[in-house]
Amino acid sequence: MLGKVLLYGAVLVAAVATVAPDLTAYYGLILVAVGLVGGFMQPLEDVNHRVAYYVLAAVLPGLADSLDAIPVAGAYVNGFLDQVAVFIAGVALANVMVQMFNKIKEA
């Protein structure tokens, strides 16, 4: 339940950041904070899912830049995917920290 709420909140913030970027300068901070909370509250246990999040956080902004070639909507889709990548990076960072903590605790 909490995961869905955080995901919907992140999508909403990303959409608002895309449509009204001058509303506030803290969209990135909000998305990273929501991603960190989501990553700490529901850490990914499967290694394959964690690696997918790491790769997606690194590659998604580059893929989104190619969408600028689409007239009218390309810039908005690019901005939205860039904001989603910030959220995903927060989740990935939280999972890295959780896994490091678990490995230190086991040692």
Side-chain angles (χ1 to χ4, degrees):
M1 178 68 181
L2 178 65
K4 286 184 181 182
V5 171
L6 290 174
L7 180 62
Y8 293 151
V11 169
L12 179 67
V13 171
V16 170
T18 302
V19 176
D22 296 331
L23 195 59
T24 182
Y26 299 112
Y27 289 122
L29 180 64
I30 294 168
L31 287 169
V32 168
V34 171
L36 286 171
V37 168
F40 281 123
M41 296 298 288
Q42 293 180 337
L44 300 170
E45 298 299 329
D46 186 26
V47 175
N48 294 331
H49 286 112
R50 285 196 309 264
V51 170
Y53 268 74
Y54 304 151
V55 170
L56 191 60
V59 174
L60 187 60
L63 291 174
D65 287 341
S66 65
L67 296 174
D68 280 336
I70 300 171
V72 181
Y76 290 110
V77 175
N78 178 12
F80 178 75
L81 290 178
D82 284 342
Q83 299 298 329
V84 169
V86 172
F87 167 73
I88 292 171
V91 173
L93 181 62
N95 277 286
V96 166
M97 289 191 266
V98 166
Q99 291 305 315
M100 285 176 51
F101 179 75
N102 288 341
K103 294 297 180 188
I104 291 171
K105 193 168 61 171
E106 290 175 4

